Amino acid sequence: MEYVLILCFGAALFAFIAWGGRALPGERWQMMASVPLFKNPDGAWQALNLTWYGALSALAYTLATAVAVALLGSVGMGLLGLVLMVAGMLGLCIPAAKIVARLVEGKPNTLSVGGAAFVGIVVAPFVAWAVVALTGQGAVLPALAALAIAYAVGEGVGRLACLSFGCCYGRPVKTMPEPWRGIFNRWNIVFHGQTKKAAYAHELCGRELVPVQLMTAYLYCAAACLGMVFFAAASFSAAMIVPLVVTQVWRVISEFFRADYRGEQKISAYQIMAAVGVLYGLAPALLLSAHGVAVNLGHGLAALWSVPVLLLLQGVFLLVFLYTGRSSVTGSQVRFFVKEGEI
């Protein structure tokens, strides 16, 4: 039954990614809403844009949190441990996305998932050890495996947010050497709308681009599902290694397909972080053990339906949306009028 659930979960993820690849590069799917702030002298209202990037990022974080809760609950971690683990990791990684991007790229309004991932890899063993020691529940290696799988799910789905905003975009297909050009002539991304980052940063609106975001989404979600299979079989080292190695090695490789600004160096800081991160993360995966830890995914799924966990998931969505969904690089003006024919 566990493997059927994993298969269904993977199929739903892949279907969602397939839809996102078709719809999200369109202009319609960048702005979600505009909130009027103050009135201009001409009668229009200056508004704050709320983006689908923020909504999809919030969905990705929330889904990753749900996966982590289900997996951690399946190996016996109680409610206190679940809350502490999630709060500790998100509390460190969410601000790290902006801090690392500012340090590497020198831009105050940019977020870096790669930077947040590196910070997460570094602090995860310490957070897991502290939570297990404090609560006396669970074990460190299964906790790290659950976090690695949850991260792969979260970043895989989160790449759909990049499709919406037009960031993290690939190189123009015409600039690629063969055989890549032939492959990406058949499979590519075309962004529409001048407010997409690919348009205002590199004037790539309407051009066929390497679908880096889609490749990442499919690969990461596949790695997460394979990790879940190993986790269900209580092979915790493999469950941690698969998503860790796939995500970080692909981060190194995928940078060579990207056209967005990654720093001035030929080998970017994010590639170095990913390479160091995978070596660092392999140490606990190979050195720790979790003999006698049983996995019951039914218990893990039941943990998702408790009131505190549901409130936690809602809080994660709202926090991430407010943090990432308020656009600081785009603006809008709104006018209101009465529909005379509807009075």
Side-chain angles (χ1 to χ4, degrees):
M1 175 60 79
E2 290 89 350
Y3 301 111
V4 174
L5 290 174
I6 294 170
L7 179 63
C8 293
F9 179 71
L13 285 179
F14 274 59
F16 186 48
I17 294 168
W19 168 84
R22 294 191 302 270
L24 294 174
E27 190 172 7
R28 161 68 180 82
W29 289 96
Q30 184 173 0
M31 306 305 174
M32 182 179 184
S34 291
V35 180
L37 299 178
F38 56 88
K39 199 170 187 179
N40 295 331
D42 63 356
W45 287 79
Q46 201 69 28
L48 169 69
N49 291 331
L50 302 178
T51 63
W52 283 106
Y53 176 94
L56 291 166
S57 294
L59 175 64
Y61 272 92
T62 305
L63 184 59
T65 302
V67 169
V69 167
L71 295 179
L72 291 169
S74 73
V75 291
M77 185 167 286
L79 179 60
L80 177 61
L82 296 175
V83 173
L84 290 176
M85 188 77 73
V86 170
M89 292 303 299
L90 293 182
L92 292 168
C93 292
I94 291 177
K98 179 169 285 191
I99 294 171
V100 174
R102 179 173 295 186
L103 293 174
V104 173
E105 303 178 39
K107 297 179 180 179
N109 297 316
T110 299
L111 300 176
S112 167
V113 177
F118 177 72
V119 171
I121 291 172
V122 171
V123 303
F126 300 100
V127 173
W129 175 83
V131 171
V132 170
L134 180 64
T135 63
Q137 298 173 337
V140 174
L141 181 58
L144 292 176
L147 292 175
I149 293 168
Y151 160 71
V153 171
E155 185 164 355
V157 174
R159 285 303 172 183
L160 298 183
C162 300
L163 285 177
S164 171
F165 199 75
C167 59
C168 305
Y169 43 90
R171 292 166 54 185
V173 173
K174 290 183 179 179
T175 67
M176 298 296 295
E178 294 292 354
W180 301 113
R181 187 186 305 176
I183 294 172
F184 295 128
N185 274 330
R186 295 185 292 271
W187 186 38
N188 52 68
I189 290 293
V190 179
F191 289 110
H192 301 281
Q194 293 303 313
T195 54
K196 298 280 191 181
K197 187 176 181 180
Y200 65 75
H202 279 108
E203 299 181 351
L204 294 176
C205 179
R207 297 183 61 181
E208 294 180 343
L209 306 178
V210 176
V212 175
Q213 304 97 325
L214 276 180
M215 291 191 289
T216 303
Y218 281 121
L219 185 61
Y220 282 20
C221 288
C225 290
L226 183 56
M228 289 180 191
V229 171
F230 284 120
F231 195 96
S235 299
F236 300 115
S237 291
M240 180 181 175
I241 289 172
V242 169
L244 174 69
V245 171
V246 169
T247 56
Q248 300 313 298
V249 170
W250 174 247
R251 184 173 297 281
V252 174
I253 296 172
S254 65
E255 295 263 330
F256 295 112
F257 292 99
R258 290 175 62 167
D260 58 325
Y261 181 75
R262 313 300 292 161
E264 301 295 340
Q265 304 85 359
K266 187 173 182 180
I267 302 297
S268 75
Y270 298 115
Q271 288 173 298
I272 296 172
M273 290 181 200
V276 172
V278 73
L279 296 175
Y280 177 91
L282 283 174
L286 296 174
L287 296 177
L288 296 177
S289 61
H291 298 299
V293 176
V295 179
N296 188 325
L297 289 181
H299 288 169
L301 292 174
L304 287 172
W305 297 109
S306 66
V307 172
V309 171
L310 291 175
L311 291 174
L312 173 66
L313 295 176
Q314 292 175 36
V316 168
F317 185 94
L318 182 61
L319 175 65
V320 176
F321 179 71
L322 292 177
Y323 188 74
T324 64
R326 297 175 298 166
S327 178
S328 55
V329 296
T330 65
S332 60
Q333 293 186 342
V334 179
R335 290 184 179 273
F336 300 99
F337 59 90
V338 175
K339 292 180 170 181
E340 297 292 342
E342 300 296 327
I343 297 176

